[in-house]
Amino acid sequence: MIVTGKRGAVKQRAKSLLRLSIIVSIIIMLVAVLITKITTDFKNNNSSSAAQLNSPIRETTTETTIREIPASAPEQEPDSALLAFAVISDVHIQSRVNAAERFNNALLDLTENIRPKPNALVINGDLGDGTPEDYALLSRIINNRHLNTEGNPLWFATIGNHEFYKAYHDPLTNAWKPAGFPNGDTDAKAIERFLAFTRQEKVYNDTYIKGYHFIFLGSEKSAMSDKSIGESAYLSSAQLGWLEKKLQENYVQGKPVFVFLHQPLFTNSGNIGNYVVQREQLYNILKKYREIILFSGHLHLALGSKATVRHDVFTIYNASSTSRPISPDFKSQTEKSEGLYVKVFPDRVEVKGRDFINKTWIFTDVTAF
């Protein structure tokens, strides 16, 4: 039947409004579903990095984010090592995001990917430029990786030449200002800031980890007090005398002793260098003990180069740099971030070079006792 007139028109409009209402409801539902999916995907894509990356680090850098390289599955293999530790050097935080990223990712790789997890981590000098801002950033990264807590590595640090570099910064703005050197700074102030960060009494000290002796050396002066020192380490007679006594303490023939100093004894060409003012005295002390393994930094030379390992009377390793390794022809290798992973066995010490960005092993060297 065909409906005509005013009554039919009203019914027709009612049907049209009903259809329109249904269509609008469907559209609203589809839009709501789409918004929910976009929000969920965004949260999922950012949750892992947001959970790992602490906001204080972002707030103190010149960039808005610090990218982290995700942890891979830890290596699982039977291991009879009595002790494991890592040595990194030349972090050069200097409140810049790139160096902070590399230091953070090195800690992430060492604690999440490598087994056995290191019992200790040694940062072997050139942590930053020795400014309060650098130490504050280092502290935040270390704390957010939960170092010095149960199940995670203990951390130690030696003083490098850059820990005296606040002298090249404007005391008010922290801007680079070499023309104003020493900008009101002194050796005593630089050392005081380092000791406050590490909670040590002196720049040289020692400890035992799982029964193995760790000895940390460090410069007591810089170019601020004596321009002839330059970038070298200055070891006082008191420090050298202390070292001689410490090497005799609990000495066991064939048991390794680990010594750390930022500046190396030898150059990349194999000759004794000018990086330590008292280099001859130090070498004569160390060469009495074949059990010594000396770790240094400063050179930045990439792992696998000639400067990486030297088997002398005792053994010497250079840890490259987490911030900026340099190739043997002195070109920056910006795609790498390097350090050492050490395992101690009853009859030998195994040292492996690690690329923390690519998560690969670079070399393995063994010292047998």
Side-chain angles (χ1 to χ4, degrees), residues 93-95 127-139 169 174:
I93 287 291
Q94 299 164 0
S95 298
L127 290 68
D129 267 2
T131 69
E133 293 83 358
D134 295 342
Y135 287 129
L137 180 53
L138 283 161
S139 294
H169 290 254
N174 199 36

Side-chain angles (χ1 to χ4, degrees), residues 109-121:
D109 190 33
L110 288 166
T111 56
E112 299 297 328
N113 298 334
I114 297 175
R115 294 296 182 270
K117 183 185 290 189
N119 302 109
L121 165 69

Side-chain angles (χ1 to χ4, degrees), residues 257-331:
V257 177
F258 304 107
V259 181
F260 304 86
L261 174 64
H262 175 68
Q263 287 90 339
L265 268 174
F266 292 89
T267 66
N268 59 318
S269 61
N271 300 316
I272 195 162
N274 296 320
Y275 305 117
V276 181
V277 175
Q278 295 79 12
R279 52 194 172 276
E280 297 292 345
Q281 296 98 308
L282 178 60
Y283 180 71
N284 288 334
I285 292 171
L286 296 178
K287 73 178 183 180
K288 298 175 184 177
Y289 303 89
R290 71 179 187 89
E291 294 85 359
I292 286 175
I293 297 181
L294 173 65
F295 294 93
S296 62
H298 192 62
L299 298 178
H300 285 237
L301 285 172
L303 298 178
S305 65
K306 188 175 180 180
T308 300
V309 57
R310 178 187 176 95
H311 291 286
D312 199 275
V313 179
F314 54 97
T315 303
I316 304 171
Y317 292 99
N318 190 284
S320 182
S321 169
T322 62
S323 66
R324 188 173 58 92
I326 298 175
S327 66
D329 57 351
F330 300 102
K331 294 180 180 178

Side-chain angles (χ1 to χ4, degrees), residues 199-215:
R199 298 182 181 180
Q200 300 169 358
E201 293 184 2
K202 294 182 179 180
V203 295
Y204 55 94
N205 56 88
D206 71 319
T207 190
Y208 288 83
I209 303 175
K210 289 198 168 185
Y212 287 91
H213 204 173
F214 283 62
I215 299 176

Side-chain angles (χ1 to χ4, degrees), residues 77 79 83 85 293 295 317 341-345 348-352 363-369:
E77 59 181 49
D79 204 302
L83 168 69
F85 64 93
I293 297 181
F295 294 93
Y317 292 99
Y341 173 69
V342 184
K343 290 194 292 186
V344 183
F345 298 90
R348 69 191 188 281
V349 173
E350 178 183 282
V351 178
K352 300 178 74 173
F363 78 97
T364 300
D365 188 78
V366 176
T367 298
F369 292 100

